C-alpha cells in the first residue's frame, strides 16, 4: 500500500481529546468518537435533516429562556478514552451556549432520527449511553414507510439510570415534559 492509498492514521488508532479539539468543524462534521475511535456517519437525507430542523425549531420556541435547542453538535461523554456523540437535536441549558465541550449535565433532551445504517446505534447503543450519562429525556424518530414519522419518547429513571418507555406519537408530538410543546412532523 502506497502512502497515497494508506488510510489516515485516525482511522486505525485512538485519538485524544486534545487532538480532536484541534480539528476544524469541517473535520468533525459527520463523525462521532467512541472509545477514542472515529466513527463515520453516513450522510443524512434531506428528509432526515428537515425532521431534525423542524424538531429543533419547535423545541427551541417552546423551551423558554432557560433552554436552547440546536442540531448536530458534539456532546462529550468522557475525555479518556474520548467519547463524543453528535445527536440530531440537543436541548441544552442556555447559560452553557459558550461552553465547549458540551457535557451531558448541560443537556435535558436528545433526539435521534433513525436512518438506514443507524438503526442499532440509535435504538440500542445510544439509549443506554444517554441514560447512563444522566440525560433526562431521549426521543427517537422513526421514518416510517408511510412517510409519517413515528416518535418514541423515553424518560430517565434516576434510580436505575435507564430509560422508561414514554409515549409514542404518529406525526404530531404533544407533550408536557420536559416542557409543553406540540410539534407536527406530518407536514414534511
Amino acid at each position: 500500500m502506497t502512502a497515497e492509498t494508506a488510510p489516515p492514521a485516525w482511522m486505525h488508532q485512538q485519538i485524544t481529546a486534545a487532538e480532536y479539539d484541534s480539528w476544524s468543524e469541517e473535520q468533525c462534521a459527520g463523525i462521532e468518537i467512541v472509545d477514542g475511535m472515529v466513527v463515520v456517519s453516513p450522510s443524512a437525507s434531506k428528509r432526515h435533516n428537515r425532521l431534525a430542523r423542524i424538531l429543533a425549531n419547535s423545541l427551541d420556541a417552546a423551551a423558554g429562556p432557560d433552554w436552547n435547542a440546536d442540531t448536530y453538535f458534539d456532546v462529550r461523554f468522557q475525555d479518556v478514552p474520548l467519547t463524543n456523540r453528535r445527536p440530531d437535536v440537543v436541548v441544552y441549558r442556555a447559560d452553557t451556549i459558550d461552553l465547549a465541550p458540551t457535557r451531558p449535565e448541560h443537556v435535558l433532551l436528545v433526539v435521534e432520527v433513525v436512518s438506514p445504517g443507524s438503526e442499532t446505534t440509535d435504538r440500542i447503543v445510544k439509549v443506554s449511553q444517554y441514560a447512563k450519562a444522566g440525560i433526562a429525556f431521549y426521543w427517537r424518530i422513526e421514518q416510517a414507510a408511510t412517510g409519517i414519522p413515528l416518535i418514541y419518547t423515553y424518560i430517565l429513571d434516576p434510580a436505575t439510570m435507564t430509560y422508561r418507555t414514554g409515549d409514542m406519537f404518529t406525526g404530531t408530538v404533544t407533550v408536557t415534559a420536559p416542557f409543553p410543546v406540540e410539534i407536527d412532523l406530518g407536514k414534511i
Side-chain angles (χ1 to χ4, degrees), residues 54-155:
I54 289 170
L55 273 164
N57 290 346
S58 298
L59 289 166
D60 197 55
D66 294 334
W67 300 99
N68 294 334
D70 286 308
T71 56
Y72 311 116
F73 67 87
D74 289 339
V75 177
R76 181 157 304 167
F77 288 84
Q78 63 187 38
D79 292 309
V80 179
L82 179 62
T83 298
N84 283 348
R85 288 293 187 181
R86 190 171 277 227
D88 296 317
V89 178
V90 180
V91 176
Y92 61 97
R93 287 191 356 235
D95 64 351
T96 66
I97 193 167
D98 293 319
L99 291 180
T102 298
R103 300 282 183 172
E105 58 268 22
H106 305 148
V107 177
L108 177 65
L109 164 69
V110 290
V111 180
E112 294 289 355
V113 179
V114 178
S115 295
S118 74
E119 295 96 336
T120 300
T121 302
D122 291 343
R123 294 177 187 151
I124 298 169
V125 176
K126 288 183 178 181
V127 174
S128 175
Q129 192 169 46
Y130 294 156
K132 285 183 173 107
I135 297 173
F137 297 90
Y138 176 65
W139 293 1
R140 189 182 81 238
I141 313 300
E142 298 281 343
Q143 300 183 66
T146 62
I148 299 173
L150 301 172
I151 301 95
Y152 297 87
T153 64
Y154 301 87
I155 303 162

